[in-house]
Amino acid sequence: MIWPQIVHTWMYGGMQLERIAQSLAASGADGADLSIDLRGEKSPQGLLRQNIRGIFALEGLQVYAASALCSDHDIDPSSNNSEVREKALTFLLRALDVTAHAGCDRMLVSPSWVSVSHQFHTSRDEDAKRAADTIAQAATYAATLGITVMIEPINRYRVALVHTVAEALAMRDAIGLPNVAIVPDTYHMQVEELCSLPEALRSAGEHLACLHIGDSGRSVPGMGQVDWVEILACLDEIGFTGPLSYEPIELYFDASKVSSDRDYAEAFERRIASGVSYLRGLMSPV
């Protein structure tokens, strides 16, 4: 099985989509994981003004996944403040419009604020219920666009809710809609999963819609200690169809330098190319 390999666009800082597409093509990637922010040119308003599908198609690429970045405390789906939850829902709905505009059929959501200073608003159970209700509303709208909403389990140091594959599956069950899936990250899994990575992925089974990939140290595949042969074999076993999404936030990584420092950007592009080439070489035998 050959899985599409894509890269989160937030990693390119303030770089324009045209340049991002050119860099992705140069690295050998198959497309993009379109990062959607609350503000600026990468906000729903800014992205809807651009011919996203055409920009990437010009380089022979496509947007295989999108990610709504809930990295602002004002857009927390689990908040006990109804205005914050409403703002989060509005952001997710507009991000879904962007996802459809980009010709993409899956979008990541985080059930709670992604930060380094998070905490429960009231309790784990109450926060989880509010998050499930907010995401259910977004997923209901997503279904009208033919889009699957994906829940990402993230390690305890970045979010208050949903840290493991099992917790993501539990929230999916709580939402109770067929167009809700999960998108684990091998880096976060190394922090939180007590079982092996393949075992955790097997537990996701048919509900695995995308996989974020990062080696140990959150490097690109092939630069750390993760057994990618074992992981790819597991993905093939469960019938996973991709994509594999890169988010290599190595120690001291600086997205602003990717868009402002040519040497730094070229080194980043070479790292992506190294990972893409490494995994592609492993995929053929699988």
Side-chain angles (χ1 to χ4, degrees):
M1 179 71 184
I2 304 296
W3 294 278
Q5 298 184 69
I6 61 179
V7 183
H8 281 72
T9 58
W10 75 261
M11 303 200 73
Y12 294 85
M15 189 180 290
Q16 297 298 307
L17 287 184
E18 289 83 358
R19 278 287 298 115
I20 294 175
Q22 291 166 8
S23 180
L24 287 172
S27 71
D30 300 296
D33 190 322
L34 184 68
S35 305
I36 307 168
D37 214 335
L38 179 62
R39 302 178 179 86
E41 285 302 307
K42 305 300 171 56
S43 68
Q45 297 90 334
L47 289 169
L48 285 170
R49 290 195 295 265
Q50 303 184 60
N51 180 16
I52 302 170
R53 198 181 317 197
I55 288 170
F56 287 99
L58 192 62
E59 301 297 332
L61 309 173
Q62 72 179 76
V63 177
Y64 282 92
S67 297
L69 305 180
C70 291
S71 53
D72 191 301
H73 63 87
D74 287 337
I75 50 170
D76 184 344
S78 71
S79 177
N80 60 336
N81 183 316
S82 60
E83 291 183 2
V84 171
R85 289 200 311 279
E86 187 62 31
K87 189 172 182 179
L89 177 59
T90 298
F91 171 65
L92 293 177
L93 296 178
R94 298 294 75 77
L96 286 164
D97 289 335
V98 173
T99 302
H101 176 63
C104 179
D105 66 355
R106 64 201 72 191
M107 188 187 83
L108 175 152
V109 301
S110 174
S112 58
W113 176 35
V114 181
S115 70
V116 293
S117 57
H118 54 271
Q119 59 186 358
F120 294 127
H121 300 287
T122 51
S123 71
R124 179 188 298 276
D125 289 346
E126 291 172 346
D127 283 20
K129 183 180 186 306
R130 286 190 294 267
D133 289 345
T134 305
I135 295 172
Q137 293 178 71
T140 298
Y141 178 63
T144 69
L145 302 174
I147 293 173
T148 294
V149 168
M150 306 181 294
I151 299 169
E152 181 183 17
I154 299 175
N155 77 70
R156 73 189 78 176
Y157 305 108
R158 298 308 310 275
V159 297
L161 291 175
V162 185
H163 304 122
T164 65
V165 168
E167 290 179 356
L169 290 170
M171 179 158 284
R172 179 193 178 278
D173 290 344
I175 293 168
L177 294 172
N179 66 319
V180 178
I182 72 168
V183 49
D185 183 309
T186 58
Y187 172 75
H188 296 304
M189 292 171 73
Q190 291 173 72
V191 177
E192 299 295 358
E193 300 294 345
L194 297 180
C195 61
S196 69
L197 300 190
E199 187 177 346
L201 292 172
R202 285 189 191 94
S203 73
E206 64 181 356
H207 302 307
L208 186 69
C210 178
L211 179 63
H212 291 181
I213 53 174
D215 215 314
S216 52
R218 215 165 188 180
S219 57
V220 298
M223 294 186 68
Q225 302 172 40
V226 172
D227 188 339
W228 293 102
V229 172
E230 186 179 37
I231 287 178
L232 295 183
C234 170
L235 295 178
D236 190 55
E237 174 190 326
I238 65 176
F240 176 69
T241 57
L244 304 175
S245 183
Y246 283 65
E247 201 173 17
I249 312 172
E250 297 175 2
L251 189 61
Y252 310 125
F253 173 77
D254 188 341
S256 67
K257 285 188 176 182
V258 178
S259 58
S260 63
D261 184 321
R262 182 173 179 176
D263 290 340
Y264 193 93
E266 290 178 349
F268 176 69
E269 189 175 288
R270 287 194 297 271
R271 287 200 300 277
I272 296 295
S274 171
V276 168
S277 176
Y278 174 75
L279 280 191
R280 196 162 284 150
L282 295 180
M283 287 180 195
S284 298
V286 172

